[in-house]
Amino acid sequence: MAGSYIVKNSLYSIDFLTEFANFEQKLPKGAHGSDNGAIHIFLADKLFPGNLEVDTCREIYYKSGNSDDLAAYTGCIRGVFGTRTDFGNIRIMKKGTGWSRDDWLTSGLWNPSRDFMLHGWKTKQLKDSPNETLKLIPMSYDQWYNPLAGPIVVGRCFIGNITWSYSPRLLADQRQLDDALLDYARKVDKEKAKILGRLPIILEKT
């Protein structure tokens, strides 16, 4: 998933969201990645005003012409942020510790003790879960399996109803699930490190 946000109802948050909404007028003409691309430079400007490294990342952002360029740009911004996660009014959750994730990363397997919300389910992409044993590996991102023991009845989704029966075939051990997600995160970080090699090429664009 591109990203998800929880915002506290406060004057700071209202001003922040209003300013971010207006940032739409500043999007580059090339590959900008919509809100996911914009939030990176927007946050960097907020948290590191006048930073020369941010200015370099901004130049890359406005010269991005494809998804690889955009990935290099987000990697540039993440380099500015470093490993820090707490910025006072703003906190950035570490990978695997947020409230939502894509379940295709683990072939639809999940655990109610660590997964609060699973993202990206569309009715037209619902598939019957296969008969074979599922493995904790990524599958196609455009499909998902019903985690319930029976059919999904939207009318039963109301406040106070917590009596859900889950399909045991899609429940995974929490530790094994965490290990699988961490392994995938390592692979993504390695790919991003390779993509950072594009930075000089992008900066040379006119």
Side-chain angles (χ1 to χ4, degrees):
M1 59 188 297
S4 60
Y5 324 101
I6 289 180
V7 182
K8 182 179 180 180
N9 188 1
S10 67
L11 181 60
Y12 178 89
S13 299
I14 293 172
D15 290 342
F16 180 93
L17 291 176
T18 300
E19 189 176 350
F20 182 48
N22 292 332
F23 191 82
E24 183 179 11
Q25 309 302 322
K26 300 179 181 179
L27 292 176
K29 295 180 180 180
H32 53 69
S34 191
D35 62 322
N36 185 47
I39 193 66
H40 282 75
I41 193 67
F42 181 76
L43 275 178
D45 278 336
K46 277 282 190 182
L47 302 176
F48 305 98
N51 186 290
L52 293 179
E53 292 181 63
V54 174
D55 289 340
T56 299
C57 296
R58 187 192 332 278
E59 182 178 352
I60 295 167
Y61 181 43
Y62 280 89
K63 289 183 176 181
S64 293
N66 52 53
S67 58
D68 285 343
D69 290 351
L70 197 60
Y73 147 71
T74 56
C76 179
I77 292 290
R78 287 173 182 268
V80 175
F81 278 67
T83 59
R84 185 178 170 187
T85 58
D86 193 335
F87 298 90
N89 287 318
I90 298 173
R91 294 182 182 179
I92 301 174
M93 306 298 290
K94 293 182 179 180
K95 289 181 181 178
T97 65
W99 51 86
S100 181
R101 72 171 179 90
D102 293 314
D103 74 334
W104 63 264
L105 293 171
T106 52
S107 293
L109 296 169
W110 70 293
N111 186 288
S113 295
R114 62 98 52 220
D115 290 312
F116 173 69
M117 185 181 296
L118 297 172
H119 163 265
W121 290 355
K122 298 177 177 64
T123 303
K124 64 181 180 180
Q125 296 175 346
L126 175 61
K127 306 292 183 182
D128 293 331
S129 57
N131 293 323
E132 65 267 19
T133 301
L134 295 170
K135 298 181 180 180
L136 287 167
I137 57 176
M139 65 177 182
S140 175
Y141 67 86
D142 58 354
Q143 67 181 47
W144 60 284
Y145 308 129
N146 177 14
L148 301 179
I152 298 175
V153 181
V154 177
R156 295 178 182 173
C157 299
F158 55 84
I159 296 176
N161 183 11
I162 57 174
T163 57
W164 301 103
S165 296
Y166 302 117
S167 170
R169 296 191 64 254
L170 295 179
L171 294 176
D173 176 80
Q174 182 176 348
R175 178 172 293 182
Q176 293 178 349
L177 197 62
D178 288 339
D179 288 344
L181 290 170
L182 182 59
D183 183 58
Y184 183 80
R186 289 194 184 102
K187 292 179 180 178
V188 171
D189 282 341
K190 287 181 180 179
E191 289 301 316
K192 287 184 176 179
K194 294 178 182 178
I195 289 177
L196 288 176
R198 293 183 56 83
L199 295 181
I201 300 174
I202 302 171
L203 288 171
E204 289 177 0
K205 292 182 180 181
T206 57

